[in-house]
C-alpha cells in the first residue's frame, strides 16, 4: 500500500524533507560499496595491488568473463539462464583457429567465430521458445553438445594461433589500456545503451518482469527471447576471439567453467535471477569484484585450492546483502 | 456483544513509509461472534492495518491487545499461534498438494515413525470441513479447485489452528453470486462459534448483508466505527470518500455508427461455443455471467491471446485471424486483463514503463526510445487520470490497487485503441476510483471507441452499458437492451439460463 488519493502534494512527493533510507542506499549502491571495500582491503593486503601493471592485469583478466557476462545479463533479465557460454566459447575458438589456419584471413576467422556463436544462441533460443524447453535444460544440453563438437573438431589437440596481428587483440595495448578491456568496455557501452535507450531493451525488462503482461501488451515475447540467446552466443564468440588472441591457442577445454563466473558476475552485480531487475553496469562491477578478488588472493599467495571457497562465499554474501535491501 | 471485553483491540496503531503515513493512530475493537466490516478506498490503509494485525508488518507505534494482554507479533506464524488468521486476497496455498495437506499444512499429524498419519489427517480435515458445512474432495490437488473452493481451504486451514480472529481481505472479489452465498453461510457459522471476523470488501451491499459493525478508514486515519444498523449506504460512501457519489446517466444509443467489431459464432472447444457479438463505434456492451462461464475466455480469444477453433472475428468489416495479441494491437484492439497483478503489471518496474508498454512503437524512432516524448505523455496521463504517485519513475508495486488499475488502463489509452476489451475493469478498486473509471469509459465511447466489458458486478454493467449479453456455461443465453434491460432478468439469465425463446432476447443494432 503506497500512495493515497487525496493526500496533499507535499506528503505524496515528500518535498522539503527528503528521507535518506539506509536500506535504499544499500540496494542501489551495495555492489559499488562492496567493490570499494574490496579495493581498500586488497590494497592493504598487498602493496603490489594498486600498481598500474597489476591493475591492467586485473582489467585484462576480467575482460573475457565480463564479455560473457554482458550476454548473460540479457538472458537473465528475461528470467532465463545460459549455461552453454563456456562451451560456445570453446567451439567458436576452435573454429576461429581452424579457419585462420586454413585461410590466413583474420576477418574471415572472426566472422566464423561470431557466426557459430550466433548459431548456437539461435538454437538455444528456438529450443526455449518454440520447443518450450526450460532454459536451464536447453542450455545444459547445449553445453554438452558444443563442448563435444569442439573436442571432435580438434581431436583433442589445441590449435595454435601464430598470426601476430590477431594476437594483438589479446595482448596488445591501446592508449596504454589492454585491448581486451577496451573491447569489454565498448561492448558494455553498447549493451547499456541498448537496454536503456532502445525499444528492444524495454521489451527485455518487460518480458523478464511479467511475460504474460508483456505478451498481452503486444510485445513479441518469442522473438525477444530468441534474440537474447543470440546475443549471449555472440558475446561468447567475442569471448572466444579474446581468449584465442590472449593464449595464442584454441584448446577444446577453453572457457571451461566460465559460465559460472559469468553468472556470478551478473548476480553479484545485482541482477535478479527472476528477471526484470538489474543491468549491465551491475555486471561490470560484478565482474570487477570477482576479478579483483582472484587477483588479490593470488597476490597474497592464497592456495588455489582455497580460492573457489573465497569466491563462493563472496557471491553468497553479495546476494545476501543486495537481497536484504530489496526484499522489503 | 458490546459491554464485554474485546477479543482483539488495536490502539493508536501507526505505520509510516517513506513520504507517507499509511496508518495513522487507528483504533479498532473486535468482539467474539461479530462480523466487523473494514471499509475504505484503496490506499486508505486497510491492507497495512490487517498486515500489522496478522504479524506480516511491524508497527511504528500503538498497541495490540489480545484478550486484554499486549502482544507483539514478529511474524505471521506468531499471530497464527495466538489465534489470529489473515486470509489475503492472493491465496497462499501449495497448488500441487492435496486439500487435506493444505488444510493441515505445518502441523500434519505424524505416526511414531515420522511418516504422515493419513487416516488421522483425513478424519481431522473431514471434521473441519463438516463444521464449515463444506464438501470438498480431500485428495485432489488444490490447483484443480475453483477460487471459491480454494478460499474454503484457506478458511479450513485457519480453523484448524483454532483461530479466534479471522481476517478476510476482499474474499468476494473473485466470487460470483452463488459462491458468495456459500461464503456468507460459512461466515455465519463461524460467527455462531464465537469467532471474531474482519470482513473487507468494496461492495457495500455485501457489508449490509453480513456485517454487524463497520469501521471506516480514510487516508490512513480512522473516520469512525458504528453498528451497521446506525448507518446508511450513502452515509458510508460519504465517510469513505468525503463526498457524495453522483449517478451516471446511461449513455446514448449508437444507431447509425459504423460497425467496429463483429464476432460470428466464435468457439473454443470445451470452453465456449457459438458466441456472436456486434459492437459499433460508441457502443459499451457488457457480458454478464458467473465466474467460470467463459466470459474471460471469449475476450482472450477475440484478442488472439488464445486461439479460437471455430467462427470468425471481423474488425471494421474485414475478417481477421489474430495469432498473437501483437496482431490484435495492430488492428486497434486492446485488452485490459482480469488480473492486473499476474497479467497486467510489470510489478517491479516503473510506472513509466508500465504505461508505455503497449505503445513502444509510438515512443520510438528506428528502435530508439524517445524518452522525452514518453515522459511528457506519461505525465499527461498521470494528471488526466488523477493517478496518485510520486512520479513516472515510481515502481508500480508501491501504488494502491486503484492507481495500479488506472496505470493499466492508461496503457491502452496511450495506444489509442479503438476497440477495447475490459475484463473486470474495477476489480479490487475503491468507490472513488471506480467512478472515475466509469467516467473514462463513457468518454472513450463518446470519442468513438467500441467497448466490450466483462464484469461480475451487475451494478457495474448497468451503470455503463447500453446492451448486456448474458453468458452461461460457455454460451450466450440472452441479450438485453432498452426495455428488456432489467437487473432481475439479467440476474435470472445468469443463474438459471435466461429467457425462453422470443421473450427477452433482443437483437439490437
Amino acid at each position: 500500500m503506497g500512495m493515497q488519493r487525496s493526500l496533499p502534494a507535499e506528503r505524496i512527493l515528500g518535498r522539503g524533507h527528503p528521507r535518506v533510507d539506509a536500506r535504499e542506499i544499500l540496494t542501489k549502491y551495495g555492489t559499488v560499496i562492496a567493490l570499494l571495500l574490496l579495493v581498500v582491503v586488497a590494497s592493504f593486503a598487498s602493496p603490489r595491488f594498486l600498481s598500474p601493471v597489476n591493475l591492467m592485469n586485473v582489467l585484462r583478466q576480467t575482460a573475457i568473463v565480463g564479455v560473457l557476462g554482458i550476454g548473460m545479463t540479457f538472458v537473465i533479465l528475461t528470467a532465463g539462464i545460459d549455461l552453454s557460454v563456456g562451451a560456445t566459447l570453446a567451439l567458436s575458438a576452435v573454429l576461429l583457429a581452424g579457419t585462420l589456419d586454413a585461410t590466413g584471413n583474420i576477418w574471415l576467422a572472426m566472422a566464423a567465430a561470431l557466426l557459430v556463436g550466433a548459431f548456437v544462441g539461435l538454437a538455444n533460443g528456438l529450443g526455449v521458445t518454440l520447443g518450450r524447453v526450460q532454459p536451464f535444460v536447453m542450455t545444459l544440453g547445449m553445453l554438452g553438445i558444443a563442448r563435444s563438437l569442439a573436442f571432435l573438431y580438434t581431436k583433442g589437440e589445441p590449435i595454435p594461433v601464430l598470426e601476430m596481428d590477431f594476437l594483438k587483440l589479446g595482448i596488445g595495448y591501446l592508449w596504454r589500456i589492454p585491448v581486451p578491456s577496451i573491447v569489454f568496455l565498448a561492448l558494455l557501452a553498447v549493451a547499456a545503451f541498448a537496454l536503456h535507450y532502445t525499444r528492444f531493451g524495454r521489451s527485455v525488462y518487460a518480458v523478464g518482469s511479467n511475460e504474460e503482461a508483456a505478451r498481452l501488451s503486444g510485445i513479441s515475447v518469442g522473438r525477444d527471447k530468441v534474440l537474447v540467446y543470440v546475443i549471449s552466443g555472440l558475446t561468447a564468440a567475442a569471448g572466444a576471439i579474446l581468449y584465442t588472441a590472449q593464449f595464442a591457442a584454441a584448446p577444446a577445454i577453453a572457457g571451461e567453467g566460465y559460465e559460472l563466473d559469468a553468472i556470478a558476475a551478473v548476480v553479484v552485480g545485482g541482477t535478479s535471477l527472476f528477471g526484470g531487475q538489474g543491468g549491465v553496469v551491475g555486471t561490470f562491477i560484478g565482474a570487477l569484484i570477482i576479478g579483483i578478488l582472484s587477483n588479490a588472493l593470488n597476490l597474497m599467495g592464497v592456495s588455489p585450492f582455497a580460492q573457489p571457497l573465497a569466491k563462493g562465499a563472496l557471491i553468497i554474501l553479495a546476494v545476501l546483502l543486495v537481497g536484504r535491501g530489496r526484499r522489503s | 456483544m458490546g459491554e464485554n471485553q474485546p477479543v482483539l483491540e488495536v490502539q493508536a496503531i501507526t505505520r509510516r513509509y517513506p513520504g507517507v503515513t499509511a496508518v495513522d493512530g487507528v483504533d479498532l475493537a473486535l468482539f467474539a461472534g461479530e462480523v466487523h466490516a473494514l471499509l475504505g478506498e484503496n490506499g486508505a490503509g486497510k491492507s497495512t492495518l490487517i498486515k500489522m494485525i496478522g504479524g506480516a508488518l511491524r508497527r511504528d507505534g500503538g498497541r495490540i491487545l489480545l484478550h486484554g494482554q499486549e502482544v507483539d507479533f514478529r511474524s505471521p506464524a506468531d499471530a497464527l499461534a495466538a489465534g489470529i488468521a489473515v486470509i489475503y486476497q492472493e491465496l497462499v496455498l501449495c497448488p500441487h498438494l492435496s486439500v487435506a495437506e493444505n488444510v493441515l499444512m505445518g502441523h500434519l499429524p505424524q505416526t511414531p515413525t515420522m511418516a504422515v498419519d493419513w487416516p488421522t489427517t483425513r478424519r481431522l480435515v473431514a471434521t473441519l470441513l463438516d463444521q464449515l458445512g463444506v464438501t470438498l474432495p480431500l485428495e485432489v490437488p488444490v490447483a484443480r479447485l475453483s477460487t471459491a473452493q480454494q478460499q474454503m481451504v484457506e478458511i479450513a486451514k485457519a480453523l484448524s489452528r483454532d483461530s479466534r480472529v479471522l481476517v478476510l481481505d476482499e474474499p468476494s472479489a473473485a466470487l460470483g453470486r452463488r459462491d458468495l452465498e456459500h461464503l456468507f453461510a460459512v461466515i455465519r457459522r463461524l460467527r455462531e462459534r464465537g469467532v471474531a471476523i474482519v470482513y473487507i470488501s468494496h461492495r457495500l451491499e455485501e457489508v449490509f448483508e453480513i456485517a454487524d459493525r463497520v469501521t471506516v478508514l480514510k487516508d490512513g486515519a480512522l473516520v469512525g466505527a458504528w453498528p451497521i444498523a446506525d448507518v446508511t449506504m450513502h452515509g458510508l460512501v460519504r465517510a469513505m470518500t468525503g463526498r457524495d457519489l453522483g449517478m451516471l446517466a446511461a449513455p446514448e444509443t449508437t444507431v447509425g455508427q459504423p460497425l467496429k467489431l463483429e464476432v460470428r459464432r466464435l468457439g473454443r472447444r470445451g470452453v465456449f461455443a457459438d458466441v456472436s457479438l456486434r459492437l459499433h463505434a460508441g457502443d459499451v456492451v457488457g457480458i454478464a455471467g458467473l465466474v467460470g462461464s467463459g466470459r474471460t475466455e471469449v475476450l482472450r480469444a477475440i484478442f488472439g491471446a488464445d486461439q479460437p477453433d471455430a467462427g470468425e472475428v471481423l474488425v471494421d468489416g474485414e475478417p481477421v485471424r489474430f495469432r498473437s495479441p501483437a496482431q490484435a494491437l495492430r488492428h486497434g484492439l486492446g485488452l485490459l486483463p482480469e488480473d492486473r497483478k499476474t497479467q497486467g503489471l510489470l510489478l517491479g518496474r516503473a510506472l513509466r514503463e508500465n504505461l508505455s508498454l503497449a505503445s513502444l512503437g509510438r515512443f520510438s524512432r528506428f528502435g530508439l526510445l524517445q524518452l522525452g516524448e514518453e515522459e511528457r505523455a506519461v505525465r499527461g496521463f498521470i494528471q488526466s487520470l488523477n493517478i496518485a504517485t510520486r512520479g513516472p519513475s515510481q515502481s508500480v508495486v508501491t501504488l494502491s490497487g486503484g492507481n495500479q488499475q488506472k496505470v493499466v488502463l492508461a496503457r491502452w489509452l496511450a495506444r489509442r485503441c479503438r476497440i477495447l476489451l475490459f475484463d473486470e475493469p474495477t476489480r479490487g478498486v475503491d468507490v472513488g476510483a471506480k467512478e472515475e473509471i466509469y467516467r473514462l469509459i463513457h468518454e472513450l465511447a463518446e470519442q468513438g471507441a467500441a467497448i466490450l466489458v466483462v464484469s461480475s458486478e451487475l451494478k457495474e454493467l448497468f451503470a455503463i452499458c447500453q446492451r448486456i449479453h448474458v453468458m452461461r456455461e460457455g454460451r450466450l443465453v440472452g441479450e438485453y437492451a432498452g426495455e428488456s434491460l432489467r437487473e432481475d432478468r439479467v440476474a435470472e439469465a445468469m443463474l438459471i439460463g435466461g429467457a425462453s425463446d422470443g421473450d427477452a432476447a433482443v437483437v439490437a443494432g
Side-chain angles (χ1 to χ4, degrees), chain A residues 1-7 11-12 193 197-199 202 205-206 209-210 212-213 215-218 276-277, chain B residues 19 43 45 47 218-219 243 300 305 325 329 342-343 345-346 348-349 367 369 371 374 390 398 411-412 436:
Chain A
M1 171 141 326
M3 313 317 306
Q4 316 188 358
R5 319 177 14 82
S6 46
L7 281 177
R11 258 175 94 190
I12 292 172
F193 180 84
Y197 296 101
T198 70
R199 196 174 162 178
R202 222 19 118 62
Y205 282 103
S209 180
N210 186 340
E212 179 66 2
R215 193 171 81 96
L216 290 177
S217 299
Q277 301 285 342
Chain B
S47 302
K218 178 166 161 40
D219 296 343
R243 58 197 147 97
R300 287 178 60 90
L329 251 78
T342 61
Q343 302 163 342
L345 293 168
L346 313 175
R349 307 300 305 172
L369 292 171
L371 294 178
E374 182 191 34
R390 273 173 305 201
T398 59
R411 180 184 297 165
W412 298 112
E436 288 176 279

Side-chain angles (χ1 to χ4, degrees), chain A residues 38-297:
Chain A
L38 192 59
V39 169
V40 171
V41 171
S43 54
F44 275 107
S46 165
R48 272 187 299 158
F49 175 75
L50 281 181
S51 71
V53 175
N54 185 56
L55 287 181
M56 287 303 142
N57 250 333
V58 172
L59 270 181
R60 190 200 304 278
Q61 283 157 4
T62 309
I64 296 178
V65 165
V67 166
L68 298 186
I70 291 174
M72 188 70 75
T73 307
F74 279 83
V75 174
I76 290 182
L77 279 176
T78 66
I81 193 94
D82 189 350
L83 298 177
S84 70
V85 291
T88 308
L89 184 150
L91 184 59
S92 292
V94 299
L95 283 169
L96 182 152
T99 312
L100 195 57
D101 195 38
T103 66
N105 187 327
I106 296 175
W107 301 105
L108 204 63
M110 289 200 289
L114 291 171
L115 205 66
V116 172
F119 182 77
V120 172
L122 184 68
N124 280 332
L126 293 177
V128 167
T129 52
L130 294 184
R132 291 168 199 260
V133 183
Q134 281 173 2
F136 188 97
V137 177
M138 182 67 216
T139 59
L140 183 64
M142 190 56 80
L143 183 163
I145 294 170
R147 177 74 64 195
S148 188
L149 287 177
F151 272 109
L152 290 171
Y153 184 78
T154 59
K155 304 187 183 69
E157 289 293 314
I159 304 173
V161 174
L162 303 167
E163 199 75 37
M164 205 42 220
D165 282 341
F166 177 72
L167 297 184
K168 278 183 191 153
L169 271 177
I171 53 180
Y173 288 83
L174 189 61
W175 310 306
R176 309 177 65 189
I177 299 171
V179 175
S181 306
I182 289 178
V183 173
F184 175 34
L185 291 174
L187 290 177
L188 198 71
V190 172
F193 180 84
L195 281 177
H196 296 290
Y197 296 101
T198 70
R199 196 174 162 178
F200 168 68
R202 222 19 118 62
S203 303
V204 167
Y205 282 103
V207 169
S209 180
N210 186 340
E211 194 174 321
E212 179 66 2
R215 193 171 81 96
L216 290 177
S217 299
I219 304 294
S220 305
V221 174
R223 187 198 61 195
D224 290 344
K225 276 191 172 177
V226 170
L227 267 175
V228 297
Y229 286 95
V230 170
I231 289 172
S232 183
L234 282 171
T235 55
I241 294 171
L242 298 181
Y243 184 101
T244 317
Q246 203 164 320
F247 297 103
I253 55 152
E256 202 158 33
Y258 281 23
E259 60 277 354
L260 296 184
D261 281 348
I263 293 169
V266 174
V267 171
V268 169
T271 296
S272 160
L273 283 172
F274 296 110
Q277 301 285 342
V280 284
V281 177
T283 302
F284 172 61
I285 296 167
L288 278 183
I289 288 177
I290 290 173
I292 289 175
L293 186 73
S294 309
N295 178 261
L297 293 173

Side-chain angles (χ1 to χ4, degrees), chain B residues 238-289:
Chain B
R238 211 174 311 122
M240 286 161 67
T241 63
R243 58 197 147 97
D244 281 304
L245 205 57
M247 276 311 289
L248 289 161
E252 303 284 310
T253 47
T254 51
V255 183
Q257 293 290 328
L259 187 61
K260 300 295 294 177
L261 176 74
E262 188 175 2
V263 175
R264 287 187 192 154
R265 314 203 59 169
L266 201 67
R268 185 171 153 80
R269 208 165 301 122
V271 187
F272 62 88
D274 213 8
V275 169
S276 298
L277 294 164
R278 290 156 69 89
L279 263 81
H280 293 84
D283 268 350
V284 184
V285 174
I287 301 183

